Amino acid sequence: MRPPGWQPRLIALDIDGTTVHERRPPSPRVLAAVREIGRHAVVTLCTGRTVVGVGHVLDQLGLGGRTDDRYTDVEHTTVCSNGAVVLDTGTRQVRYAIRFEPGPVVEAVREALPGAVFGCEEVGVGQRIGAPFPDGILAGRVRLVDEAELLGEPTPKVVAYWPHGTPDDVAERMAGVEVPGAEVTLDHELPWVSMVPEGVSKASALAEVARVLGVPRTDVLAVGDGDNDRAMLRWAGLGVAMGQAPPEVKADADEVTGSVEEDGLAAVLERYL
């Protein structure tokens, strides 16, 4: 239970399906709410996107500076790649990246999803892929490489796209699959699987951000809509699921707001303005 008059000191926002809808920029209402709440609390984007996919959203939201005097000695950060990469929001430089070997991950998922295509993140650059992905689905430079090069270097995140089924089909086939050394999350809109090193998540990265800021988890507000947000929603003092989120995501949240089309994020933030 939060005490009367509770105010968040650290606010973690998912991007896709929370702050923005599809390829559209943040709505005017969401934009105003994020910018205003940033005068009173630290706002951190926590996303599955790579660092090359977050810059224009940070620019749209006006994030990159510091908020009030409580945080003048701490640079803002952006959590990317489901927690595996953390970006300095002001300088846009990578602060750290946690990598793993992609070979065992690809082998396990390939067995569950025959015909899946795989991509390995190249931090700050883009992706190396083993076969073509749908146009526009990957950010940055995309390099088509052979299997040896695809699996030849450690990476923070491996993605798999399965062109032969729906997100529900992917969830059914991945149920119970052991992916060694990896945390696995699924997409509820695309037949897509994301994998980062074991123990890494938006929650683990957000916990480190909070530790550096000296903010207890009880003073953290997190908002999201996807499988990769579930751990973050459970960890935060107040976890809020978007209205269009799947039932299992809503079950992990403390409350549910409106959908992204209804500016559900703004409705949450406006309570604390």
Side-chain angles (χ1 to χ4, degrees):
M1 294 292 294
R2 284 162 297 281
W6 180 84
Q7 291 280 326
R9 295 172 56 194
L10 173 60
I11 299 173
L13 305 180
D14 171 49
I15 294 181
D16 297 291
T18 301
T19 307
V20 303
H21 180 44
E22 297 177 343
R23 296 181 181 273
R24 289 172 247 170
S27 72
R29 183 182 174 194
V30 166
L31 184 60
V34 171
R35 288 181 172 177
E36 181 60 26
I37 202 71
R39 296 165 58 88
H40 311 288
V42 172
V43 177
T44 295
L45 296 186
C46 293
T47 180
R49 294 190 187 196
T50 64
V51 296
V52 293
V54 300
H56 68 285
V57 181
L58 292 170
D59 291 339
Q60 290 166 344
L61 294 172
L63 297 176
R66 298 179 173 90
T67 56
D68 62 34
D69 291 340
R70 291 175 293 170
Y71 306 110
T72 53
D73 294 328
V74 180
E75 294 177 348
H76 284 199
T77 54
T78 298
V79 174
C80 305
S81 302
N82 289 339
V85 181
V86 171
L87 185 71
D88 183 304
T89 309
T91 66
R92 307 293 167 89
Q93 298 297 309
V94 173
R95 297 184 67 181
Y96 67 81
I98 304 171
R99 295 175 169 86
F100 64 159
E101 294 292 339
V105 171
V106 170
E107 181 180 357
V109 176
R110 183 175 280 152
E111 185 173 344
L113 302 174
V117 295
F118 293 88
C120 295
E121 178 181 353
E122 297 184 317
V123 179
V125 177
Q127 303 274 343
R128 60 182 188 271
I129 61 174
F133 277 67
D135 290 343
I137 204 169
L138 298 174
R141 185 186 73 179
V142 178
R143 295 193 302 121
L144 183 62
V145 299
D146 61 22
E147 184 86 348
E149 188 171 358
L150 177 71
L151 306 180
E153 294 184 9
T155 180
K157 187 174 74 164
V158 176
V159 294
Y161 181 84
W162 197 48
H164 307 300
T166 66
D168 287 341
D169 295 330
V170 170
E172 181 178 350
R173 284 175 171 264
M174 289 297 297
V177 173
E178 293 291 334
V179 182
E183 301 291 340
V184 179
T185 55
L186 308 180
D187 193 281
H188 62 273
E189 295 182 335
L190 294 171
W192 181 276
V193 184
S194 296
M195 292 143 286
V196 295
E198 188 172 14
V200 171
S201 67
K202 291 186 181 183
S204 67
L206 181 60
E208 177 61 14
V209 173
R211 185 193 68 79
V212 172
L213 289 171
V215 176
R217 63 186 293 185
T218 52
D219 288 342
V220 178
L221 164 65
V223 189
D225 77 313
D227 190 33
N228 60 350
D229 295 310
R230 294 176 65 184
M232 177 176 75
L233 298 182
R234 293 192 300 266
W235 180 85
L238 176 59
V240 181
M242 298 295 291
Q244 82 282 354
E248 59 271 20
V249 177
K250 293 178 179 178
D252 282 333
D254 298 296
E255 61 182 70
V256 178
T257 186
S259 69
V260 64
E261 295 94 338
E262 298 167 328
D263 288 338
L265 172 59
V268 174
L269 299 182
E270 287 164 358
R271 300 198 319 237
Y272 304 107
L273 297 180

